[in-house]
Structure formats: structure tokens, C-alpha cells
Amino acid sequence: IETGWGQEEDQQPGENQPVEPEQPVSTAPTLEWPANPDFAKMDIEQGMSVELMVYAPEKIKGFIVYVSDNFQGAIQVLVPGATCLDLIDDEVAKEQLGTMLPVGDQLLGQTEVAFSLSKLVPMIAAVGNQGEDYIFTLEVTDEKDQILRKDVEFHNPVVTSEE
């Protein structure tokens, strides 16, 4: 029976409307850089602070840092033969980098980690080539095998001496 309003009498307003299914809340790891929320390339500066936050509701199982080819040599001085830094399972990396980065149990099984690159990035200014870009790719795997890969990029500016 038509009511003249385009609805049948036994139909309630809003019925037969498409229902938006609730989107499941992602539990995949995330990375935040409060001082640089867009993760824009940053110039390396003396004494700069690079404070990241890693969130992994399903607990961190793996944490690997890949470095750009132009920084491999410096990393291999710290961890001979390394092409990446396994901060949980590589004993040499944990021993050599434990004063600069969270390693081992500071990462394994954690749901939230303050991850500072503030001690590693200044090394670029000391040993890296001026005018080049350097990329750290952070790869975080959680206990559900969800993977976050995020690039953190820096530029080593050309320093001109004032005479």
C-alpha cells in the first residue's frame, strides 16, 4: 500500500538502506615521527633529534633496519658483512648497536617502543658524502606476521666553510 510518500506502510524509514559494514580495526604495526608526521626528507643537522614511535598491538616479532647502499660501508664497520641490521636476532648487531638503538628484548614482544635514530643519523654527517641522501628502511613484523616497511630519509647537506 502506497502512502503517497514513496514508502510502503509497513516499511520503517531507513529500512532497506545499504548498511555500511564496520571496517575491522587494523592491528598491523605503525610508525609515527611526531616531529615529522609526513616523513619528509630531513637535512642532517648537528645534534638533531630523530625520535620515532613504533606501535605493534600484536607484539613485535622482528625488527630489521635496511640502510641505503651509500651507508653500507659505515654499517659494515659496526657489523662486519651486514647488509641490514637485524635488531632482534643478530647477536653481533645487538652487541654493536645496543648503545645506539633499542635491541633484543627492548623490541621483542613489545607493543610500543620509542625508537631513536638520534645517535645513528649524526654518523652520516661524519662519514657520509655531502650532498647525498640516506635512507633507513624500518621493517617491523608482528606476531601475526603483519609487516610494516617505512622509509626514513635524510639529506647530508654540503657544508661550506666560512673563511
Side-chain angles (χ1 to χ4, degrees), residues 14-156:
E15 278 188 22
N16 294 332
Q17 299 279 333
V19 176
E20 300 262 339
E22 286 190 34
Q23 296 297 320
V25 175
S26 174
T27 60
T30 58
L31 182 67
E32 291 180 7
W33 190 354
N36 185 8
D38 297 331
F39 285 79
K41 182 188 330 179
M42 290 193 73
D43 280 350
I44 297 170
E45 298 173 1
Q46 193 70 18
M48 75 184 297
S49 175
V50 184
E51 305 296 329
L52 310 172
M53 285 301 300
V54 179
Y55 299 100
E58 302 296 338
K59 298 183 182 173
I60 296 171
K61 177 172 85 173
F63 202 119
I64 298 174
V65 178
Y66 298 91
V67 297
S68 51
D69 291 344
N70 55 355
F71 200 55
Q72 288 285 328
I75 293 302
Q76 290 180 4
V77 167
L78 296 170
V79 185
T83 56
C84 64
L85 304 171
D86 183 336
L87 301 180
I88 293 179
D89 293 323
D90 184 327
E91 293 303 320
V92 175
K94 292 188 321 187
E95 183 178 315
Q96 294 296 320
L97 299 169
T99 60
M100 288 190 267
L101 300 170
V103 296
D105 290 340
Q106 296 169 316
L107 298 168
L108 184 64
Q110 302 300 315
T111 57
E112 186 174 312
V113 174
F115 192 81
S116 175
L117 289 172
S118 298
K119 292 181 180 173
L120 194 59
V121 171
M123 286 177 53
I124 296 171
V127 301
N129 295 322
Q130 292 184 13
E132 288 192 2
D133 295 337
Y134 293 83
I135 301 171
F136 294 86
T137 302
L138 307 184
E139 181 179 284
V140 180
T141 305
D142 68 15
E143 292 181 359
K144 283 190 170 180
D145 291 325
Q146 300 175 102
I147 298 173
L148 164 73
R149 283 182 67 98
K150 189 74 174 171
D151 290 345
V152 182
E153 190 170 0
F154 301 93
H155 178 73
N156 193 19

